[in-house]
Amino acid sequence: MTDMFDVSGKIAVVTGGSRGIGKMIAAEFVRRGVRTYITARKAEACLETAEELSEFGECIALPGDLSKMEGIESFVSEVEAREQQLDILVNNAGAAWGVPFDEFPESGWDKVMDLNVKSLFFLTQKFAPLLRASATAEQPAKVINMASVDGIHNARPETYSYSASKAAVIHLTRRMAKRLVEEHIHVNAIAPGAFASNMNVWARDNPEEVTQRIPARRIGRPDDMAGTAIFISSRAGDYLVGITIPVDGGVAFAN
């Protein structure tokens, strides 16, 4: 009997894969036999994570800065030099900025919007030839964009550009999905809630307080994120096109 969640033998790229949610997803891909490329701006952390995950399978570090077009093009070229096709692209690299309304700076707007939205779009565009080389009607290529529950509901922290960027990712996912499904590339998104990470320091450092606002009464675990990514990436998720799955313990829709 065929395992509909089998992703072994596939090739994946996970941006921001050295830590946090990106690492959760990359680790599960590697364990399940996916040759996984990770990238991150901090080279040392990227290399260390790849070395750690390589104990379980194939994980290749290609450090780089995806906030600028030259960094995107350089990274894509490095992957193209190694691979004929790409089965899964996880657009996870991102940034956040929290400052009160009257003090919010232009730099905090531009940095977050550029990396979370602009870079996501152009990285997918530049990887499209490799995704097209993999994609068939029977086995679509997959793009997973990382949104956030903050793009669905009104978050408490004053993270204006972050919330706006993640709402944009949700709609951009729908728009890209409409276009790329014509070529058997299925674009979807995940909207994480509270997971302990360097970006979500509140969930990491104050889990007891945070859980009081989560219907499931706990913060997210690595398996919660990894399982959702495997679902979307595998045969089990082949009929998903343009959707955003909240992985948030019920924050967005059960509060």
PDB file of all heavy atoms in Angstrom, residues 60 87 117 158-159 252 255:
ATOM      1  N   ILE A  60      22.167  20.342   3.152  1.00  0.00           N
ATOM      2  CA  ILE A  60      23.245  21.146   2.573  1.00  0.00           C
ATOM      3  C   ILE A  60      23.013  22.604   2.919  1.00  0.00           C
ATOM      4  O   ILE A  60      21.930  23.151   2.656  1.00  0.00           O
ATOM      5  CB  ILE A  60      23.311  20.979   1.037  1.00  0.00           C
ATOM      6  CG1 ILE A  60      23.494  19.508   0.676  1.00  0.00           C
ATOM      7  CG2 ILE A  60      24.417  21.827   0.439  1.00  0.00           C
ATOM      8  CD1 ILE A  60      22.228  18.813   0.255  1.00  0.00           C
ATOM      9  N   ASP A  87      11.553  20.040  -6.005  1.00  0.00           N
ATOM     10  CA  ASP A  87      10.209  19.540  -5.719  1.00  0.00           C
ATOM     11  C   ASP A  87       9.455  20.395  -4.714  1.00  0.00           C
ATOM     12  O   ASP A  87       8.235  20.537  -4.796  1.00  0.00           O
ATOM     13  CB  ASP A  87      10.297  18.111  -5.165  1.00  0.00           C
ATOM     14  CG  ASP A  87      11.020  17.182  -6.118  1.00  0.00           C
ATOM     15  OD1 ASP A  87      10.547  17.032  -7.258  1.00  0.00           O
ATOM     16  OD2 ASP A  87      12.062  16.607  -5.726  1.00  0.00           O
ATOM     17  N   VAL A 117       7.782  39.748   2.049  1.00  0.00           N
ATOM     18  CA  VAL A 117       6.880  39.745   0.891  1.00  0.00           C
ATOM     19  C   VAL A 117       7.652  39.795  -0.430  1.00  0.00           C
ATOM     20  O   VAL A 117       7.533  38.901  -1.269  1.00  0.00           O
ATOM     21  CB  VAL A 117       5.878  40.915   0.950  1.00  0.00           C
ATOM     22  CG1 VAL A 117       4.870  40.813  -0.197  1.00  0.00           C
ATOM     23  CG2 VAL A 117       5.149  40.935   2.289  1.00  0.00           C
ATOM     24  N   GLU A 158       2.525  45.639  18.909  1.00  0.00           N
ATOM     25  CA  GLU A 158       2.508  46.650  17.852  1.00  0.00           C
ATOM     26  C   GLU A 158       3.568  46.325  16.792  1.00  0.00           C
ATOM     27  O   GLU A 158       4.584  46.987  16.655  1.00  0.00           O
ATOM     28  CB  GLU A 158       2.725  48.033  18.450  1.00  0.00           C
ATOM     29  CG  GLU A 158       1.557  48.477  19.326  1.00  0.00           C
ATOM     30  CD  GLU A 158       1.684  49.917  19.774  1.00  0.00           C
ATOM     31  OE1 GLU A 158       1.259  50.821  19.013  1.00  0.00           O
ATOM     32  OE2 GLU A 158       2.224  50.146  20.864  1.00  0.00           O
ATOM     33  N   THR A 159       3.256  45.314  16.022  1.00  0.00           N
ATOM     34  CA  THR A 159       4.145  44.856  14.951  1.00  0.00           C
ATOM     35  C   THR A 159       3.488  45.179  13.611  1.00  0.00           C
ATOM     36  O   THR A 159       3.040  44.290  12.895  1.00  0.00           O
ATOM     37  CB  THR A 159       4.409  43.347  15.077  1.00  0.00           C
ATOM     38  OG1 THR A 159       3.138  42.673  15.183  1.00  0.00           O
ATOM     39  CG2 THR A 159       5.237  43.027  16.304  1.00  0.00           C
ATOM     40  N   ALA A 252      -6.791  31.817  15.842  1.00  0.00           N
ATOM     41  CA  ALA A 252      -7.451  32.603  14.801  1.00  0.00           C
ATOM     42  C   ALA A 252      -8.945  32.361  14.717  1.00  0.00           C
ATOM     43  O   ALA A 252      -9.725  33.303  14.513  1.00  0.00           O
ATOM     44  CB  ALA A 252      -6.808  32.317  13.439  1.00  0.00           C
ATOM     45  N   ASN A 255     -11.177  31.230  19.146  1.00  0.00           N
ATOM     46  CA  ASN A 255     -11.149  32.101  20.325  1.00  0.00           C
ATOM     47  C   ASN A 255     -12.494  32.789  20.509  1.00  0.00           C
ATOM     48  O   ASN A 255     -13.154  33.125  19.536  1.00  0.00           O
ATOM     49  CB  ASN A 255     -10.052  33.168  20.183  1.00  0.00           C
ATOM     50  CG  ASN A 255      -8.891  32.917  21.115  1.00  0.00           C
ATOM     51  OD1 ASN A 255      -9.044  32.204  22.109  1.00  0.00           O
ATOM     52  ND2 ASN A 255      -7.740  33.459  20.794  1.00  0.00           N
TER      53      ASN A 255
END
